[in-house]
Amino acid sequence: MSLSREQMLQEMGIGPIWVLRQPQREEELAATAAPDALARPEPESVGTGARAVGDLPGAGLSDQPPAVPASKPAAATPVEAAVSAALGGAGWPELQQQIAACRACVLCQQRQQAVAGVGDLNPDWLFIGEGPGAEEDARGEPFVGQAGKLLDNMLAALDLKRGEKVYIANAVKCRPPGNRTPDATEMATCRPFLERQIALLKPKIIVLLGKAAVHSVLHEDKSLASLRGQVRDYQGIPVVVTYHPAYLLRNLPDKAKAWEDLLLARRTLRQQSQSEELTRLMF
Ligand code: URA
C-alpha cells in the first residue's frame, strides 16, 4: 500500500503506527545462529592481493579494550588497523566479499550473514544506521524491520526511495546478539568497511541515524541533541545527525525534530548542487 504525502508527513510527525522490535533473548539467538558460523572456511583473498579480513591473526577473538577517541586521528585498535590494511583500496566486489567473510570481531560468531548495505552505488544520499537486527540478519538487507518501515517513510517524505540515489548502510555489518548496541571495539573493527563504502560511494550528503553512526563516522560521543541541527563534515562531505528510527518509534515528539534534520540535509544538498552548477557555468 502506498501512502499519500500527507500520510507520510503525518507519520513523520505524529502517528505511532509501529512498535519497537523486542530484543531477542540470547538463547533464542544461539538457536537460530548458523551452526557452522565458526567453522566456515574463509574464501581466498581476491583482487589486489590484500589479505582477507577473516585471515587476520586473532580474527574473531578480538578482546581489545574499547577505544573511544573523541576525534579519530588513526586506527583506534590494532584490529582496526589490520582490517584497514587488509582492505587496501578494494573495489566494490572485493569489499563485499571481505565484509561477507569477515571474522575480525566476535559479532561474526552468531550472525547468519553480514549485511553490507543496499542501494544506488552512485548515490546523493547515504544513510547510516547502527547495525542489523534479526530481520536484517535473516534477509541480508539493512533496515527491513519496523525501524526500516519508518526510514522508508522518512525517505518518501523527502521524495526519495531506497535504491534510487540513496544508499543505506550500518556502522557494524553483523548483528549484535540480542540487538544490543555494538561496543566501541566492534565499531572500530568494522569502521574500515564503512570508510571504504563512503570512499567508493562518494555521496553528496551523509545522514547519521543515531549515536553509533555518529561515533563511527564523526568519532563523537556527545548527546544527539547537542549534535543535531548543524552540518558537520566528513572528508569534504556534509554530514547531518539525526535520531535513529527505532528511537523515534519510542519517542514520538522527536519525529518533528528528525523531520527538521532531514530538511536541513535536503537544503544542504540543494545548496551544494546550486553552487556546483554555478561554478560549472562560470568556469
Ligand atoms: N537498525 C539499524 O541501525 N540498522 C538496521 O539495519 C536495522 C535496524
Side-chain angles (χ1 to χ4, degrees):
M1 181 193 72
S2 69
L3 297 176
S4 70
R5 187 173 180 78
E6 286 66 35
Q7 285 171 312
M8 288 166 199
L9 291 174
Q10 186 187 32
E11 196 51 46
M12 281 293 306
I14 306 168
I17 300 276
W18 299 291
V19 291
L20 186 62
R21 66 181 178 221
Q22 291 299 316
Q24 215 172 329
R25 292 181 320 145
E26 296 284 336
E27 311 88 79
E28 290 166 12
L29 195 84
T32 54
D36 64 343
L38 290 170
R40 195 179 304 146
E42 300 299 339
E44 292 182 6
S45 59
V46 290
T48 61
R51 295 166 70 198
V53 173
D55 295 338
L56 294 170
L61 302 173
S62 166
D63 61 356
Q64 297 294 326
V68 189
S71 64
K72 187 225 177 176
T77 67
V79 178
E80 179 188 352
V83 172
S84 187
L87 207 47
W92 269 112
E94 191 180 351
L95 174 60
Q96 304 268 37
Q97 266 182 298
Q98 294 267 17
I99 291 173
C102 180
R103 304 189 65 76
C105 85
V106 292
L107 296 185
C108 70
Q109 294 174 3
Q110 293 186 43
R111 71 175 179 218
Q112 292 191 46
Q113 58 192 312
V115 181
V118 71
D120 194 330
L121 297 185
N122 183 27
D124 288 344
W125 296 76
L126 171 60
F127 289 83
I128 303 175
E130 180 175 302
E135 285 177 79
E136 290 79 16
D137 182 51
R139 287 175 52 185
E141 181 172 334
F143 282 102
V144 291
Q146 291 173 345
K149 288 182 188 155
L150 178 55
L151 179 59
D152 283 338
N153 277 4
M154 291 160 76
L155 295 178
L158 291 167
D159 284 328
L160 297 171
K161 38 169 130 136
R162 67 170 68 203
E164 289 180 18
K165 288 286 167 195
V166 171
Y167 193 92
I168 303 171
N170 277 314
V172 298
K173 313 303 184 201
C174 298
R175 182 191 180 204
N179 293 347
R180 66 166 168 77
T181 303
D183 70 25
T185 304
E186 290 154 358
M187 285 192 274
T189 303
C190 222
R191 185 176 291 135
F193 293 133
L194 183 60
E195 289 176 344
R196 191 71 200 133
Q197 285 179 308
I198 299 173
L200 290 169
L201 291 168
K202 299 186 184 64
K204 295 187 177 146
I205 186 116
I206 298 174
V207 179
L208 301 178
L209 303 167
K211 282 201 81 169
V214 171
H215 175 83
S216 271
V217 175
L218 297 178
H219 313 280
E220 296 259 19
D221 285 310
K222 295 187 196 133
S223 71
L224 270 191
S226 71
L227 291 168
R228 56 168 294 277
Q230 36 181 308
V231 180
R232 308 294 296 262
D233 174 86
Y234 173 85
Q235 301 194 353
I237 303 167
V239 176
V240 169
V241 169
T242 194
Y243 296 105
H244 191 284
Y247 167 87
L248 293 173
L249 291 171
R250 287 175 281 135
N251 296 274
L252 303 181
D254 283 337
K255 278 188 179 177
K257 292 184 191 157
W259 179 235
E260 282 169 22
D261 297 333
L262 295 178
L263 292 179
L264 171 63
R266 183 165 70 182
R267 262 197 321 277
T268 306
L269 179 60
R270 285 180 176 167
Q271 279 162 6
Q272 183 181 255
S273 305
Q274 280 165 4
S275 78
E276 276 169 14
E277 180 61 8
L278 211 64
T279 311
R280 199 182 63 77
L281 290 172
M282 286 175 69
F283 298 102

